[in-house]
Structure formats: structure tokens, C-alpha cells
Amino acid sequence: MNKNGKYDLAKILYQWADETRDAIYIADSDGITLKINKAYQKMSGYQPSDLVGKSLKNLVSKGYFSSAILLALEKKEPVTIVGMQFKSKKHLISAAIPIKDPSGKIYAVVATHRDISEYEKLQDEYERLKGELERAESLNKELLNTKELVSEDVIPGNNMQQILRHAIRIAPYPINVYLYGESGVGKEVIANLIVEKSDRNNRPFIKVNCSAIPEQLLESELFGYNPGAFTGARASGKPGLFELADHGTILLDEIGDMSLRVQAKVLRAIQEQEITRVGGVEPKKIDVRIISATNKDLLELVKKNKFREDLFFRLNVVQIKIPPLRERKDEILPLADLFTKKFGEKYGLKKEFSQEAKRYLLGYDWPGNIRELQNVIENALVSTNSTVIQYDDLADRLEKKNKLSHKNTKVTLKEAVNDFEKQIIIEALKENNSIRAAARILGVDHSTLIRKIGKYNLEKGKYGSAIFHQQVKNCTKKN
């Protein structure tokens, strides 16, 4: 002990270090290690023999740990640092406090260390969950507005809601998307949604129908050409659609119709992120997100060597399969009402569908999907004189179309429609005790139902009670 009481203070510090739960490291004014307590030994994995009596500068230079004590000695004031420590890579918060004598001279520095790794894990998990919650809230908000995503007034059915959720979820990431579905199902609508919800929504969005451009022109349309590249080329050359879509998005619609030669150049554009104009030698760097769409099964085309497998997997980072309208029955009538309103406003017409016509819309398979439904509604609106669109107005239109597109089918559309009509009449007769009640359910006049009962000879079938069938027979005879 000296006259300043240094020994006594050191003894007090050592005793405190042994009793506290914090990890304690004590060094003298020269940065020589004096003591580490048991908590520090457990946290660091070092023993007193590894550190005591050794210079902190040497220990730090050898990568043992970083030291708040050295910084406190340099600044001559308390310091706190946060960072990785020890070979275990634990994340610590270290606070070093210089111990001074009455004259202000430092004769020791005490550092406490606390492991905040678990806290940070909890913080990270909290931030992750918070982010997930924010994304979920954002997604819910988007889904509340899905009527604006597919149409102005139509809430999509369950199948489409799942697809919209998926499209919104992947939209922010600049990955390629492959849209697969029959013609007219709404592939372009999904493509528009992906672009709208991405960070490229204010950048170019170029749409290309690969089947509409002759093969010999498609390459120059996509990649552009240099002056004099071929006969008839512009003297100034022409940028391609990939160049015009730089930093934006390009939709390659009907990509299944693209030739193998053009496919090879598209593959290079994806792999190298650059294109070369026809007749050019200097490649140009591009940043383009590709959305491809087709009604063909690209995997089948790959098996038949009509589509490059390597290109397919480059395009198919995310695949979204859009179901046909016949699998989305809950959207048919809302879409029909939407198109009726839309074309009614366009042509100054105000019409509606009879219940019989609505049942027909629901029963038809819609091979042309939403596009066909839209065309049928527009045609029915302008072709009928009545303010109510009837079953026959739709059946005549679709029967003619069916004959043109399915000349060799064994069952005509009229036969299929009649079969459907017969079935729904049978169901109505089964569920009701009178013809008038069944007619009300079907949305037709009493006399119309009686006529159709006779047409399909339903009085001879077994559809309900004997008493009811007698009613059918009687009514059929009277009429």
C-alpha cells in the first residue's frame, strides 16, 4: 500500500469484480492486464494465464479482441463501444472507465462487457415480424382494392385472389416471370399488375406480341439494327424494343411462337444483360425485366425441341398459371354486369340479362375466356331490340360461333345448351311443389316453362312425386 491508498482501492476493485455478474476486465495505466473475473472468462473463453500481465496493445494486434480500455486510456475519459469480440464472434457492448487518483492521474481502467447477441437476435426478429406485418397490411390493402386490378367493379374469385396475392408479392423483385394460361384469361392484366406494383412502374413497359411479327422481322424489332444492316433499313438505324425497355420491363407475349434463332438471342440478352443490334458488333448493356406469356405448354415444346430448355428456365424464375374462366364461375356474372355497364355507357344503351340468360352464361364453358365473354356481351347489347337480353340472344350468337370453330364436333353447341337447360329445369322441378314455383326460381314465365317441359318430355320422367308429375301432365295438356 502507498500513501495514496492505491493498494486498498485495487483490493476493493478486485473484490467487486469477483462478486459482480458482469464480465470485468481491469488494466493499469500502461494497458497491462491486471485481472479478469470469472464472468469474463466464461464469456470470452480466455483464462487469466492467457491475459494477466500481458499488454493490451499486443493482445489486440494479435486479434484477441478489440479494446475499449485502450480507447479510454487514449481519450482519458469513459468510452463505450459496440462490436464483435472474441473468437466466438459474440456481439458485446463494452464500457471502459478510467480510475484516477486525487491529482487526476489514471492508474487503472475498468471495463464491463455485456453480451447483446441475444438481445439483437430478438431485435432482428422483432424487425422481421414488424416487416412481415407491414407487408401483410400492405397486401391486405391491395386485396381490398383488387376490384381495380382486374376490372373496375369486379371482386376476383378465390382462385384469382391467390394469383393476385402472388403477383403482388413478387412484383417488387426484378426477377423474370412466366405467365401461362389459355388465350383471353387475363395474362396481360397480371403483367400490368406486376409492373404497377414494382419499382419500375414509372419506367418503360414495352409489350410485344411475338406471334404477330413475322419471324424475319422479329429479331430486328427486338434488338434493333444498324444503318445498312439489310435492304430497306433506315439510314439512321433503329433501336430495338429491348433498348427502349432499358431500366424497365418488356412483355414477350406468345413467346411459344418465337423461333429458335431468336430464342438464342433472347437467352444471350438475359445471360449477359446486353444486346447487339442486327448488323452491329458493339454490344449494349441493358437492364430489363422480362415477363413472358403464352397459351402453349413450353415444357412440351422443350421436349419436342421447339423451345430452348435453357431459355425456359431463365424465363421461368417465377411461374404464374392463370386458370380459365370456366374454373372461375364466381366471376362470370360480375364480369358480365361490368361489360354490360361499360358498353351500355359507350353506346348509350341500358339493358340487363334475364335469369334464364344468366344461367346460360354460367353454364357455358367459355373457350375464349374473358375476351370471348366481353365480345358476346357487346354483341348482345347492340344486336337485341329489347331492354332485357334473353337466353336466345346469347345462344344464337354462341351457336353460330361454335359451328364456325368446331365443325367436326359430334355434339353441337345447341345440343349442349339444350342438355344444360334440361338439367336445370329438372333440378327446379325436383325442388318445388308446383310449376309456377319452379318458373319463379328459373326466372321464366309459367307458360314458357310448360312449353319447355313438353319440349323435353319431362312429364314422362321420374322427377319428383307422382302428384307433381300429374300436375305437369295436366298443365302440358291444357297448353
Side-chain angles (χ1 to χ4, degrees):
M1 180 191 299
N2 61 24
K3 61 181 181 179
N4 294 322
K6 182 176 179 181
Y7 174 80
D8 292 339
L9 183 56
K11 185 176 180 180
I12 293 170
L13 283 175
Y14 287 4
Q15 185 178 355
W16 166 74
D18 287 334
E19 293 177 356
T20 183
R21 293 183 179 180
D22 290 338
I24 303 298
Y25 195 117
I26 303 175
D28 66 14
S29 59
D30 295 321
I32 303 300
T33 306
L34 298 176
K35 181 177 177 63
I36 59 172
N37 70 352
K38 290 182 180 180
Y40 187 91
Q41 294 170 37
K42 183 178 180 181
M43 177 184 289
S44 67
Y46 295 120
Q47 298 301 313
S49 58
D50 298 322
L51 306 176
V52 173
K54 296 181 180 180
S55 168
L56 271 170
K57 288 183 180 179
N58 291 337
L59 293 171
V60 170
S61 67
K62 291 179 181 179
Y64 275 59
F65 41 71
S66 61
S67 176
I69 290 177
L70 291 179
L71 191 57
L73 285 170
E74 179 185 336
K75 293 189 173 185
K76 296 180 172 52
E77 61 184 28
V79 297
T80 301
I81 62 173
V82 178
M84 291 291 186
Q85 298 276 11
F86 315 135
K87 295 177 182 179
S88 62
K89 300 297 183 183
K90 288 184 177 179
H91 215 177
L92 306 181
I93 181 169
S94 303
I97 303 174
I99 306 299
K100 301 177 182 179
D101 63 18
S103 66
K105 182 181 177 180
I106 296 174
Y107 60 86
V109 179
V110 178
T112 62
H113 306 76
R114 289 189 178 181
D115 186 355
I116 59 173
S117 302
E118 289 303 317
Y119 167 78
E120 290 189 330
K121 287 180 183 177
L122 291 173
Q123 184 69 20
D124 290 344
E125 180 66 7
Y126 167 76
E127 293 297 334
R128 185 187 69 79
L129 292 174
K130 182 180 177 183
E132 288 293 331
L133 179 61
E134 289 174 351
R135 283 190 288 274
E137 289 175 347
S138 175
L139 181 59
N140 286 336
K141 184 177 179 181
E142 297 290 355
L143 290 174
L144 287 174
N145 295 323
T146 49
K147 63 182 181 180
E148 298 176 359
L149 304 180
V150 178
S151 63
E152 295 172 1
D153 298 310
V154 179
I155 298 294
N158 291 332
N159 286 345
M160 282 304 294
Q161 282 197 26
Q162 292 179 14
I163 289 171
L164 291 173
R165 288 191 189 98
H166 189 39
I168 293 169
R169 191 176 297 116
I170 59 95
Y173 306 103
I175 52 180
N176 295 333
V177 181
Y178 166 49
L179 305 176
Y180 174 49
E182 296 177 6
S183 294
V185 293
K187 296 188 290 291
E188 188 172 335
V189 172
I190 300 299
N192 290 336
L193 171 62
I194 291 171
V195 173
E196 179 188 341
K197 301 304 175 185
S198 74
D199 58 1
R200 300 183 180 220
N201 56 8
N202 60 347
R203 304 293 179 84
F205 180 26
I206 306 297
K207 301 177 182 179
V208 189
N209 188 333
C210 300
S211 66
I213 303 175
E215 179 187 342
Q216 60 272 25
L217 295 180
L218 184 57
E219 181 180 0
S220 61
E221 284 295 313
L222 290 176
F223 304 105
Y225 58 81
N226 276 357
F230 50 83
T231 303
R234 291 181 186 175
S236 59
K238 181 184 176 183
L241 297 174
F242 270 94
E243 284 185 67
L244 297 176
D246 194 20
H247 299 294
T249 307
I250 190 167
L251 169 63
L252 300 178
D253 198 8
E254 304 301 346
I255 196 170
D257 294 329
M258 184 181 286
S259 69
L260 290 170
R261 181 168 176 272
V262 180
Q263 288 176 34
K265 294 203 70 172
V266 172
L267 176 64
R268 175 177 171 78
I270 297 173
Q271 288 178 330
E272 307 298 330
Q273 293 187 320
E274 63 182 28
I275 56 96
T276 302
R277 289 186 181 186
V278 175
V281 293
E282 292 293 329
K284 176 181 175 62
K285 285 290 182 182
I286 56 168
D287 172 19
V288 177
R289 181 184 194 175
I290 298 177
I291 300 176
S292 56
T294 181
N295 61 358
K296 297 182 177 180
D297 188 338
L298 290 188
L299 272 179
E300 283 300 314
L301 294 181
V302 168
K303 293 176 184 177
K304 296 176 182 178
N305 296 318
K306 293 183 178 180
F307 201 88
R308 294 182 64 111
E309 184 177 30
D310 46 6
L311 176 58
F312 171 73
F313 288 116
R314 288 284 186 173
L315 296 172
N316 190 32
V317 178
V318 172
Q319 180 181 137
I320 298 179
K321 186 174 182 181
I322 306 170
L325 188 57
R326 61 182 170 274
E327 295 177 13
R328 296 150 54 187
K329 295 284 188 180
D330 47 358
E331 294 178 35
I332 291 175
L333 293 183
L335 282 169
D337 289 339
L338 171 71
F339 295 142
T340 303
K341 178 182 176 182
K342 173 184 174 182
F343 293 119
E345 292 174 353
K346 180 178 179 180
Y347 301 124
L349 300 170
K350 190 172 183 180
K351 299 185 180 183
E352 60 182 10
F353 293 95
S354 69
Q355 290 300 316
E356 193 178 16
K358 287 182 178 181
R359 291 177 185 276
Y360 178 79
L361 291 175
L362 287 171
Y364 183 60
D365 268 351
W366 301 107
N369 295 293
I370 296 175
R371 189 179 297 121
E372 181 185 17
L373 174 62
Q374 178 174 308
N375 292 341
V376 167
I377 299 303
E378 184 175 17
N379 177 275
L381 274 175
V382 299
S383 301
T384 56
N385 294 322
S386 173
T387 58
V388 179
I389 299 171
Q390 300 289 349
Y391 156 82
D392 290 336
D393 299 323
L394 298 173
D396 288 346
R397 155 75 174 154
L398 290 172
E399 182 181 352
K400 290 175 184 177
K401 177 181 179 297
N402 190 65
K403 285 180 179 179
L404 289 173
S405 57
H406 302 283
K407 291 180 180 179
N408 298 322
T409 55
K410 294 181 181 179
V411 180
T412 67
L413 176 61
K414 186 173 182 179
E415 289 171 337
V417 169
N418 286 344
D419 184 61
F420 174 73
E421 183 179 62
K422 179 179 177 180
Q423 291 303 315
I424 63 172
I425 290 174
I426 288 171
E427 291 301 318
L429 295 176
K430 284 181 178 180
E431 295 173 5
N432 295 276
N433 293 323
S434 72
I435 293 176
R436 290 189 184 278
R440 282 197 299 272
I441 292 297
L442 293 171
V444 297
D445 292 336
H446 175 243
S447 58
T448 300
L449 180 55
I450 291 174
R451 177 170 52 82
K452 291 186 181 294
I453 287 171
K455 175 183 175 180
Y456 296 123
N457 295 317
L458 297 184
E459 70 274 18
K460 296 178 182 179
K462 296 180 179 180
Y463 310 113
S465 67
I467 296 176
F468 178 67
H469 285 295
Q470 189 60 49
Q471 291 178 348
V472 174
K473 288 179 182 180
N474 294 339
C475 290
T476 305
K477 289 175 183 177
K478 291 177 184 178
N479 290 275

